[in-house]
Structure formats: C-alpha cells, structure tokens
Amino acid sequence: MRGGLVFQAALFPFALAAAIRHHASMIARLALLFVVVPFVELALLMLLADATDWKISLALVVITGVAGAWLVKHQGWRVLRRIREELAAGRLPAGALVDGALVLVAGTLLLTPGVLTDLVAIGLLIPATRTLAKRRLVRWFQDNFTLDVAGQTATFRYAPGDEDAAASSPRDADQRTIDGRATRVRQLK
C-alpha cells in the first residue's frame, strides 16, 4: 500500500503538467471561440457592407436568421419523429440523437449574428451536409473515447447509414440493462 502511494506521488508532477497542458489547450480553444470568431464575423460584415450597402448586410443577417429558424424548427420536428419511430421499434436512436445534437448546435449558431456562423448553421441543417458532419463527429468520438463496462473495454461504435445494425441496445441481446462509464483516452506525444 505504501509503495503505491510513493509511486503515485512520484507521478504527480507529470500528471500536473499534463493537466496544465490540457487546460492551456482548452483556454486557447475558448479564446478562439469567443474572441477570434466574433472578430472574423465583424470583419466579414464590414467587408460586405463596404462592398454593397449596410442595409444589405443587415438584411442578409436578418434573412438568414429567419430562414435558419424555420429550418431548425422543420429539421427538429423531423429528428424528433425519427427518434420516436426508433424507440417505438425497440431500437436505440443513435443516429437520430446525433442529428438532434447537430440541429441544436445549428440553432445555437443561428443565435450568433454573422455570416460565417449562419453559413455553418445552415450547412448543419441540410440533411446531406449534416450527414458529413455526423460522420466526422462519430470518427472523433471513436478516436477519443472508449467504454469500460465491468472491466471490459469497448470502443465507441456507430456506423452512419446503418441505423439497424449499429443502434442495437443491450436489451436486444439478453433483456438486461448494462451500466457503464466512459473515459477519455489521450495519447501522449
């Protein structure tokens, strides 16, 4: 017992350094999100106003916001219907839940006035481009997360387009519920 504590104490500086690097990376990402993106949005709106007229820039922001709100409502109801259908069929609606999360992100982006965020949001609301975003998001989850259930490790599994095969629930196998814990796996460089 005591040797384990000494070993853990010896590793503490390395764990602390890794935590500081992780937090510095997170601060840089947040700075990008909350500082750089608004400046880019402002610059794009100013360039558009200089190239045309400020009224056209304002109208573009309002029109994309209204059109985006309509698309969020339409796609949100569509995703909700898919979730209900999957649940009624006894399947886990994995693909529909990812679609719902992306529609929620799109709605949030539409609240931000600007051209760039509106274009990204409308891209997420179009089913064909949302499928591409869903594939990238799923690939990111597969690369960064594993699932540890009762000492057995499994990777995040979802195959876009193959809803029936990939979205099976634990109760399909033997009618039991399995509780698990997800942990993020990071590679040291």
Side-chain angles (χ1 to χ4, degrees):
M1 178 73 174
R2 199 167 180 178
L5 290 176
V6 171
F7 181 71
Q8 288 176 357
L11 290 178
F12 178 74
F14 299 108
L16 183 62
I20 290 171
R21 277 193 309 271
H22 174 69
H23 288 298
S25 172
M26 183 60 67
I27 290 171
R29 289 179 190 156
L30 289 174
L32 176 74
L33 180 66
F34 292 115
V35 176
V36 175
V37 171
F39 277 127
V40 170
E41 290 285 4
L42 185 60
L44 285 173
L45 285 172
M46 290 172 66
L47 285 172
L48 184 64
D50 284 343
T52 59
D53 185 25
W54 69 269
K55 295 172 190 170
I56 292 175
S57 298
L58 182 63
L60 180 68
V61 170
V62 170
I63 289 170
T64 56
V66 170
W70 180 83
L71 276 171
V72 166
K73 180 181 175 185
H74 176 71
Q75 291 298 315
W77 283 113
R78 188 174 171 191
V79 168
L80 185 59
R81 187 178 69 240
R82 277 186 44 215
I83 290 171
R84 287 180 178 164
E85 289 170 356
E86 293 282 330
L87 289 173
R91 294 187 302 261
L92 182 66
L97 289 172
V98 174
D99 279 334
L102 290 174
V103 168
L104 180 66
V105 168
T108 304
L109 288 173
L110 284 170
L111 292 175
T112 306
V115 178
L116 185 64
T117 53
D118 287 350
L119 289 175
V120 171
I122 290 172
L124 288 175
L125 292 173
I126 298 170
T129 54
R130 186 171 60 235
T131 301
L132 296 173
K134 183 167 44 170
R135 286 185 184 144
R136 289 197 69 184
L137 181 65
V138 167
R139 190 175 313 123
W140 181 82
F141 267 100
Q142 288 171 337
D143 292 343
N144 291 292
F145 291 93
T146 61
L147 181 64
D148 185 15
V149 179
Q152 297 182 5
T153 303
T155 57
F156 179 83
R157 199 170 104 10
Y158 169 69
D162 189 14
E163 307 290 323
D164 295 332
S168 61
S169 64
R171 65 185 170 153
D172 292 341
D174 57 4
Q175 300 293 326
R176 291 185 305 168
T177 301
I178 300 174
D179 291 327
R181 178 177 57 98
T183 56
R184 182 168 184 174
V185 177
R186 298 184 61 97
Q187 294 178 345
L188 297 175
K189 294 183 181 189

